[in-house]
Amino acid sequence: MRSLGVCLLGAVVALAGCSEETNPRVVTRLNTDAALVGELPSNPLQGKVITSWIDRKDATMSTMFGNDVAWKYARSNSDSKYPAGAVLSVVTWGQQEDPRWFGGSIPQRPKAVEFVTVTGPGVAAYQRYEGSPLKKVASVEGVDPNDRASYLLAQRAAVMP
Amino acid sequence: MGSVLQSRLRPLLWIVGVLFLVFVGLQFVRPKLTNPPVTADLQTPAEVKQILRNSCYNCHSNETKLPWFDQVVPAYWLVTADVKEARKHLNFSEIGKLPAAQQKGFLFEAVNMIQMGAMPLPAYRRVHPDAVVTPDQLTVLRNYLTTPPDPSNAAEVGAKAVTDAAATDVQYGKWVQASQTALEVKPEWNGVPFDPDYKNWKAISSTDRFDNHTMREILGNDVAVKAIADGHINPWPDGAAFAKVAWQQAAPDEKGVVKTGAFIQVELMVKDSAKYASSEGWGWGRWRGTDLKPYGKDAQFQNECMSCHEPVAKNDHVYTMPFSGQTAGGQ
């Protein structure tokens, strides 16, 4: 009975020639704003997700990626003594309203990309890229990683069972 | 000449007459549609209420008022079925009995449905143009939902954050000890298997869900990542799979930074247009908690997934706008 009703209504709609345009929020597209454009030593998006955070004051969101060495270590150790060869990379994006979900924010333009490369026990290099296109703005190497590198190395992995 | 026309018209008149009688007869086939008592009506400012009453209450409340043209079969059958379905999903006359956070969740979903053009239903809007939510009315609804909560319950919120932090630490401690051991995870009720490999997939987006205090990473497998690189994302190719991993948002630290709190769930969408033809071409699954328990009680759970993703049906049911650059060489 209901299907008959649906058929009848369908026929009416078809006759009336009504067709809804695609809502602009639904039009298929990539989030091109968030692409990492610039001369980076490696591509963080090829890494695996270790964790993420949101900075309410700066209205930014960051994702920390790791190469295989870093990722494996972070998932089974809660200290920050990453082995040599571990590379952490952090992408920090500005935020924009998710056009497809009111109540959510998604990445906008990248604000910074950071790399922490561990070369030995307690020895790490830190590099930071900013701007559009992304350009190197800081580079620190040596024993006793700088504050920011220590901070990033100390972030624990998000639980991903 | 006249009698020829008459003899040709006669059968036609008979048909019209019979159809009319059938039409009249069908008017007596009327499923029952009652208005049960209003037990816990939504409490909102008057201007918000007015908009919801005008555009939503006819289907989503116990105060359904049908205009005469909705009383005529077959329109009446459609409307009756729609109202029953609508009340099951969201009933503003009974929503007041739910916790405040859940009520807000429903309102956020309602605003999403409206601004994506999914509600009121397109067919309903054509026949009831007065029910269309205007851009100004949408702004009123959005502003209402983004107004910060009453600071008088800040102490309560603070206490909850401390409890959550302790629980998060315990969860993390157990996981980091045991993360090398593979879990035995059951497939979803609809048969979609869990894929432990999801954590090796590439990030394609992330979301800060301030509506429900969660944060998510959206990951894509190699097929999905290749589809992004090739620009073939509507429809997505068979074999493409996404994982959406959700955590609670921890309370902000002294610098205003919100870290990932407790793990909530991982959800999978696996494209196979033949195998999953009956569920929009996607295999849907949600595994909750660190023991990854399949969500739902039976295969019906996937109706929840599909109805939530219906507003993006024209985008192959995918909400995420992926960023590109995951393949070798990047951007």
Side-chain angles (χ1 to χ4, degrees), chain B residues 35 67 75 137 155 282 295:
Chain B
N35 275 336
Q137 290 175 324
W282 292 96
Y295 175 78

Side-chain angles (χ1 to χ4, degrees), chain B residues 247-262:
Chain B
W247 300 269
Q248 301 284 356
Q249 292 188 0
D253 67 12
E254 67 284 0
K255 288 179 177 163
V257 175
V258 175
K259 307 264 177 70
T260 50

Side-chain angles (χ1 to χ4, degrees), chain B residues 278-305:
Chain B
S278 63
S279 52
E280 319 285 11
W282 292 96
W284 309 83
R286 173 190 276 167
W287 290 264
R288 308 198 84 166
T290 44
D291 56 347
L292 298 170
K293 189 168 175 267
Y295 175 78
K297 290 191 285 266
D298 52 41
Q300 295 294 314
F301 86 90
Q302 66 178 8
N303 293 338
E304 245 179 81
C305 313

Side-chain angles (χ1 to χ4, degrees), chain A:
Chain A
M1 192 156 46
R2 193 179 168 213
S3 61
L4 173 69
V6 172
C7 288
L8 285 172
L9 188 86
V12 170
V13 171
L15 285 173
C18 294
S19 69
E20 292 262 318
E21 274 180 39
T22 304
N23 185 302
R25 293 173 187 275
V26 188
V27 171
T28 301
R29 62 192 176 99
L30 296 174
N31 182 357
T32 46
D33 287 348
L36 305 182
V37 181
E39 293 290 312
L40 300 175
S42 63
N43 181 358
L45 299 183
Q46 286 189 283
K48 294 176 187 172
V49 172
I50 293 180
T51 187
S52 59
W53 57 86
I54 299 154
D55 189 323
R56 290 266 173 256
K57 278 187 196 151
D58 290 351
T60 59
M61 55 207 297
S62 304
T63 301
M64 183 158 94
F65 301 87
N67 65 356
D68 278 351
V69 175
W71 183 78
K72 278 187 189 133
Y73 188 83
R75 288 175 56 83
S76 47
N77 293 275
S78 45
D79 60 40
S80 49
K81 295 171 187 153
Y82 282 92
V87 180
L88 298 176
S89 47
V90 178
V91 183
T92 299
W93 288 275
Q95 291 190 299
Q96 59 178 321
E97 179 180 322
D98 184 347
R100 295 179 185 158
W101 195 272
F102 172 57
S105 299
I106 57 171
Q108 202 193 27
R109 278 182 232 294
K111 292 238 164 134
V113 179
E114 298 163 282
F115 296 93
V116 180
T117 310
V118 179
T119 50
V123 189
Y126 173 81
Q127 294 173 310
R128 183 181 177 90
Y129 292 75
E130 286 180 12
S132 180
L134 293 155
K135 283 197 181 112
K136 196 192 277 185
V137 292
S139 185
V140 183
E141 279 182 51
V143 189
D144 291 336
N146 70 349
D147 287 354
R148 181 64 180 169
S150 306
Y151 177 81
L152 297 179
L153 288 166
Q155 297 308 311
R156 69 188 192 189
V159 173
M160 286 170 80

Side-chain angles (χ1 to χ4, degrees), chain B residues 62-121:
Chain B
N62 295 344
E63 298 181 70
T64 303
K65 290 177 198 133
L66 298 185
W68 69 265
F69 51 86
D70 282 340
Q71 310 266 4
V72 180
V73 170
Y76 180 78
W77 296 340
L78 279 181
V79 172
T80 311
D82 279 350
V83 170
K84 285 179 181 167
E85 188 66 34
R87 284 177 181 169
K88 251 193 277 174
H89 188 72
L90 167 64
N91 187 336
F92 286 115
S93 301
E94 296 170 10
I95 196 175
K97 68 185 174 199
L98 300 174
Q102 215 177 332
Q103 292 186 40
K104 268 243 152 122
F106 272 115
L107 288 177
F108 267 102
E109 190 183 345
V111 169
N112 268 309
M113 293 286 170
I114 294 167
Q115 68 179 18
M116 302 278 275
M119 281 286 159
L121 291 173

